[in-house]
Amino acid sequence: MTFQKLNLIEPVLQALTAEGYNTPTPIQHQAIPVVLAGRDIQGCAQTGTGKTAAFALPIIQHMYNNRKSHKGIRALILTPTRELAIQIDESFKAYSKFTRLKHTVIFGGVSQVPQVRALSRGVEVLVATPGRLLDLIGQGYIKLHHLETFVLDEADRMLDMGFIHDVKRVIAYLPAKRQTLFFSATMSPVIEKLAQSMLQSPVKVEVTPPTSTVDKIEQRLYHTNKKDKPKLLHHLLEEQSIPTALVFTRTKHGANRVVKYLLGMQVKSAAIHGNKSQTARQAALSDFKKGSLRVLVATDIAARGIDIDELTHVFNFDLPDVPETYIHRIGRTGRAGLEGTAIAFCEQEERVNLRDIEKLIGKRVPVVQNHPFPFDGNLTQSPKPSHDNNRNQRSRNPQFRSRSAS
Ligand code: AMP
């Protein structure tokens, strides 16, 4: 399958060539013809699958083929985080390189003045987070009556982050006659209901969480002690001459502690999490992308949507409670056909999380036996009992019981 076969026009194809894209990803293959045909979409796909291009390319093509004389907003992309918003806007910039599209991005936590100025110059595609969008609508700077296409990105994350009422308020401002493209990484009953309330005879497109991506990534596991994790991280960074790494911690304080330790060991590193200012987060991200920062330590929310094409190493400094998060995290590496390594640390209390992750990915994460900071207790010890019935059920299942002995 090629992009030409998806009936994309020459200036869009040129932009894809400039980006180095040769083959459409499965979500692009499925969604592009549907969006070009003007249909609504209910898409189940997560970041990392190429979903931005899946909606951006046909939007750009439609606007190029149907120029309008008015200066109103024609497409709105609503996304939960500032980082995602910035990345989506950057994607529009890259994909519309040869089509002269006016686009801009707005998000909270920074001055609205430059955003309002950009809006006043006329914008065809607006990428926005819900709070700032509603704010600027309220102040009269944004009108949506010319809107043709509405994209709701990461609907499940909107729900998790408590934005669902804001989303509904935004929808109330949209013209009833519009195309709606709805994307969510998961489809719970609540999300399904939200989709039904917004979509008209949608075409369902789905790409399963990329176990294929996961298969390409070399995964390793180190059993260790909680107190030794920073030392083990430093040891591996040095021993394996790892040039850049994204490190995930459970908490903001945990992220700060890791950075403090690494800085003490002369490793250039910074943390990004919700307590950091938007400017500090952007600066850290851009230093990391440039390579002047070797290690970026992040919590899941802050890292959501961070898109670094050539990231070689991801560390699960703490194992996540939700097993799907492990897939999201390690999927940050091994992008665009490159190889990636995902290294996980597991302390005693995280054994239950490890079992859940291995059940989800359908295989054992290979354990590195010989390293300087081994777990100093008994690996055959059973994990702490959990209050979660499901988990207890899983702990009793012999399929998962032998894990800790390995
Ligand atoms: P997304 O899921 O939209 O965040 O995209 C994930 C990553 O894949 C981004 O770095 C894109 O630049 C890249 N990407 C998207 N589509 C393709 C493609 N067809 N070929 C190669 N890379 C792609």
Side-chain angles (χ1 to χ4, degrees):
M1 172 50 74
T2 60
F3 283 109
Q4 278 84 355
K5 289 212 175 106
L6 293 176
N7 286 331
L8 291 170
I9 54 175
E10 198 49 43
V12 170
L13 293 173
Q14 264 176 292
L16 294 176
T17 310
E19 283 299 292
Y21 296 3
N22 300 319
T23 324
T25 64
I27 189 82
Q28 292 162 3
H29 183 193
Q30 291 179 51
I32 289 172
V34 177
V35 185
L36 283 176
R39 298 281 307 268
D40 281 5
I41 276 194
Q42 182 176 342
C44 191
Q46 64 189 56
T47 299
T49 54
K51 91 176 136 64
T52 313
F55 62 74
L57 301 177
I59 288 178
I60 293 168
Q61 173 150 331
H62 172 74
M63 291 194 178
Y64 183 82
N65 285 343
N66 305 276
R67 287 279 173 206
K68 289 274 154 78
S69 53
H70 68 71
K71 280 190 152 190
I73 294 163
R74 299 179 64 190
L76 169 68
I77 292 90
L78 198 61
T79 191
T81 69
R82 311 159 198 195
E83 283 82 7
L84 274 170
I86 291 168
Q87 275 168 25
I88 293 171
D89 186 57
E90 281 172 358
S91 297
F92 268 95
K93 185 176 175 195
Y95 305 148
S96 66
K97 205 170 169 181
F98 302 102
T99 45
R100 284 187 32 238
L101 182 83
K102 281 185 259 164
H103 57 93
T104 199
V105 57
I106 60 169
F107 45 82
V110 293
S111 159
Q112 71 174 42
V113 177
Q115 299 177 358
V116 168
R117 207 175 295 136
L119 287 164
S120 69
R121 288 193 290 264
V123 162
E124 293 164 286
V125 175
L126 178 65
V127 185
T129 54
R132 179 55 58 93
L133 176 68
L134 286 166
D135 207 359
L136 295 187
I137 291 176
Q139 295 177 50
Y141 291 117
I142 294 176
K143 302 255 184 299
L144 294 170
H145 55 278
H146 283 304
L147 195 89
E148 295 163 38
T149 308
F150 172 56
V151 181
L152 180 62
D153 187 39
E154 311 240 343
D156 53 349
R157 185 60 45 169
M158 293 279 193
L159 195 72
D160 291 351
M161 293 175 74
F163 291 158
I164 212 66
H165 294 294
D166 283 352
V167 171
K168 288 181 178 165
R169 282 178 62 205
V170 170
I171 292 167
Y173 285 106
L174 307 181
K177 187 175 173 308
R178 58 164 199 265
Q179 180 180 31
T180 305
L181 314 176
F182 180 104
F183 290 96
S184 186
T186 51
M187 283 290 166
S188 63
V190 186
I191 295 290
E192 189 78 41
K193 203 170 146 214
L194 179 70
Q196 277 167 19
S197 72
M198 297 170 48
L199 300 168
Q200 289 190 348
S201 335
V203 177
K204 291 195 177 177
V205 298
E206 186 170 359
V207 290
T208 37
T211 35
S212 52
T213 314
V214 173
D215 287 344
K216 277 194 316 211
I217 297 164
E218 184 188 338
Q219 299 176 59
R220 285 187 237 137
L221 182 85
Y222 290 78
H223 284 291
T224 190
N225 307 295
K226 191 182 176 83
K227 67 174 180 9
D228 290 330
K229 284 181 174 181
K231 291 182 229 163
L232 179 57
L233 173 63
H234 178 244
H235 165 75
L236 295 175
L237 286 168
E238 296 307 311
E239 184 207 46
Q240 302 177 12
S241 309
I242 295 173
T244 54
L246 180 60
V247 175
F248 285 96
T249 58
R250 195 190 324 273
T251 64
K252 300 169 199 174
H253 297 300
N256 289 341
R257 276 196 298 271
V258 173
V259 168
K260 195 169 167 205
Y261 181 82
L262 290 179
L263 288 175
M265 304 304 276
Q266 318 301 328
V267 177
K268 284 187 182 159
S269 45
I272 53 165
H273 52 63
N275 285 3
K276 298 268 173 182
S277 74
Q278 172 64 3
T279 323
R281 284 156 72 171
Q282 279 315 118
L285 191 57
S286 109
D287 285 349
F288 187 62
K289 284 185 175 178
K290 281 198 306 239
S292 54
L293 200 63
R294 189 167 163 208
V295 178
L296 195 62
V297 187
T299 55
D300 290 299
I301 297 259
R304 184 98 188 156
I306 288 181
D307 181 13
I308 304 151
D309 278 349
E310 284 161 28
L311 182 66
T312 57
H313 287 76
V314 166
F315 282 84
N316 274 278
F317 188 89
D318 299 313
L319 283 182
D321 298 328
V322 179
E324 284 80 3
T325 304
Y326 178 81
I327 296 186
H328 285 275
R329 288 179 178 181
I330 74 169
R332 301 313 172 86
T333 181
R335 292 276 178 99
L338 297 170
E339 292 192 351
T341 305
I343 297 173
F345 296 168
C346 181
E347 65 184 86
Q348 184 168 23
E349 295 199 352
E350 293 170 324
R351 301 273 172 71
V352 172
N353 303 356
L354 177 62
R355 287 201 184 121
D356 289 344
I357 289 165
E358 292 186 329
K359 181 174 184 220
L360 180 72
I361 63 174
K363 65 179 186 191
R364 297 272 160 85
V365 183
V367 176
V368 178
Q369 300 287 0
N370 293 320
H371 64 89
F373 303 101
F375 176 56
D376 56 19
N378 180 3
L379 267 181
T380 55
Q381 213 169 328
S382 55
K384 267 178 56 167
S386 156
H387 296 296
D388 173 334
N389 281 338
N390 251 338
R391 288 209 170 146
N392 280 334
Q393 195 96 38
R394 285 180 222 166
S395 315
R396 282 195 295 272
N397 184 335
Q399 190 188 343
F400 306 110
R401 217 181 277 150
S402 57
R403 178 63 186 85
S404 45
S406 60

